[in-house]
Amino acid sequence: MVITSVQPIPTTPRRWSRYSHPRSTIHFAVLLAVLTFLAWSVAFLNIDLIRILGAFPRLAEILATRYFPPDIDYVSDADFIRSVIRTLEMSMLGGFFGVVCSIPLAWLAARNITISRHIAYPLGRFAIMGSRSIHETIWTILFVTVLGFGMLAGTLALTVFCIGFAGKLFSDELEAVDMGPVEAMRSVGASPLQVFQYAVLPQVRVAFTGIAIYTWDVAFRAATVVGFFGGGGMGWYLKRTTQQLESTRVAAILLVIICLVLLAEIGSGWLRRRISKMR
């Protein structure tokens, strides 16, 4: 008989942690304050949680009786298909111009590589922050007021929206670059443009490509909302059918939007995975 010895399983010793005052007390106090504020907000706004839960069965009933079946013939019309193509064109143009304009702004808004921390940095940050602080629907209303209804106003609104969206991501990526190559080129007298081209851009090339793809993905979703407020595209059809209470046509348009967003999500996800393998 062969007797084998059983090796004890190594266990990680437990460490006893002492209650640290006042840091732990402050954490508990902040958490309690947040929960108290949420409870007070629900009571102050008179939100009936039971009524909200009971609204879901009614919503399902309304969708089944008013929005089903969708009017597929309406979205198969040639004019509507052209509006879908216009929406795609508007999102691509807005995303392209927004990315192109946001790259130099992100360069100015990155503290570590900006041309001037006292002039260029605040100007770049202000431009990106100003584009992000106003919703794309408000930009659409402003451009429609100035330029009138149509794709030009919608494209400009998407461009400004993408400048704020991509500019923030680009500037954050630039501030995380390795400063070794940057300092090396600065020490030999390279110009700021040469530093950005040869020391910064190779580090962020892959990340910038992924951000550009993601920006177009977001711009495509915003394009339908922009069209709803006068920017052109299939958003105008959605607005008209909604105002005329044509529920089955609204359901068909929403179904088309969901399918297009799903296709855009699959395509952009595939491109982002291909880009991530280039790192």
Side-chain angles (χ1 to χ4, degrees):
M1 176 182 291
V2 180
I3 301 176
T4 58
S5 59
V6 179
Q7 298 294 332
I9 300 175
T11 58
T12 304
R14 296 183 178 180
R15 294 183 178 181
W16 178 75
S17 60
R18 186 181 182 87
Y19 179 85
S20 57
H21 179 79
R23 185 173 59 183
S24 297
T25 305
I26 294 175
H27 290 171
F28 285 124
V30 170
L31 179 60
L32 181 62
V34 171
L35 294 177
T36 304
F37 176 76
L38 291 177
W40 176 81
S41 300
V42 171
F44 179 79
L45 296 175
N46 196 21
I47 299 176
D48 192 350
L49 298 178
I50 299 177
R51 185 179 180 183
I52 293 176
L53 295 176
F56 289 101
R58 184 184 176 188
L59 177 63
E61 181 182 357
I62 292 176
L63 292 176
T65 56
R66 297 183 184 179
Y67 291 87
F68 186 84
D71 190 357
I72 304 299
D73 294 334
Y74 182 75
V75 297
S76 302
D77 186 70
D79 291 336
F80 181 81
I81 294 176
R82 280 193 290 268
S83 71
V84 174
I85 296 175
R86 294 191 192 100
T87 302
L88 292 172
E89 293 173 347
M90 189 165 55
S91 64
M92 294 185 68
L93 288 174
F96 175 77
F97 290 129
V99 168
V100 170
C101 295
S102 63
I103 291 177
L105 288 176
W107 178 21
L108 299 179
R111 181 181 290 273
N112 53 343
I113 62 171
T114 186
I115 299 175
S116 173
R117 293 190 177 184
H118 300 288
I119 299 176
Y121 176 75
L123 289 178
R125 280 289 175 180
F126 178 78
I128 294 175
M129 182 189 64
S131 301
R132 293 177 61 245
S133 59
I134 301 177
H135 198 267
E136 64 267 19
T137 57
I138 307 300
W139 283 119
T140 306
I141 295 173
L142 293 176
F143 283 116
V144 166
T145 304
V146 176
L147 302 173
F149 295 96
M151 289 186 59
L152 179 59
T155 303
L156 291 177
L158 288 176
T159 300
V160 178
F161 165 71
C162 291
I163 288 174
F165 180 83
K168 179 65 169 61
L169 298 178
F170 284 157
S171 61
D172 291 343
E173 193 69 29
L174 290 175
E175 289 182 346
V177 299
D178 183 12
M179 293 299 295
V182 176
E183 297 297 338
M185 292 201 65
R186 286 175 177 174
S187 64
V188 298
S191 64
L193 183 59
Q194 291 174 331
V195 172
F196 182 80
Q197 182 178 358
Y198 296 107
V200 177
L201 197 58
Q203 300 186 53
V204 299
R205 175 177 57 88
V206 177
F208 271 28
T209 306
I211 292 173
I213 296 172
Y214 184 55
T215 301
W216 171 79
D217 190 15
V218 175
F220 176 73
R221 289 171 169 81
T224 56
V225 180
V226 166
F228 192 92
F229 288 88
M234 60 180 173
W236 180 82
Y237 282 87
L238 180 61
K239 179 180 180 181
R240 188 182 69 176
T241 54
T242 302
Q243 292 177 342
Q244 295 177 356
L245 300 179
E246 297 173 344
S247 302
T248 56
R249 292 183 174 181
V250 172
I253 295 174
L254 293 178
L255 187 62
V256 171
I257 293 175
I258 292 173
C259 293
L260 291 175
V261 169
L262 180 61
L263 292 176
E265 181 69 23
I266 294 173
S268 62
W270 178 78
L271 289 174
R272 286 196 294 268
R273 286 193 298 269
R274 293 293 299 271
I275 294 299
S276 63
K277 293 180 181 179
M278 298 172 57
R279 294 180 182 273

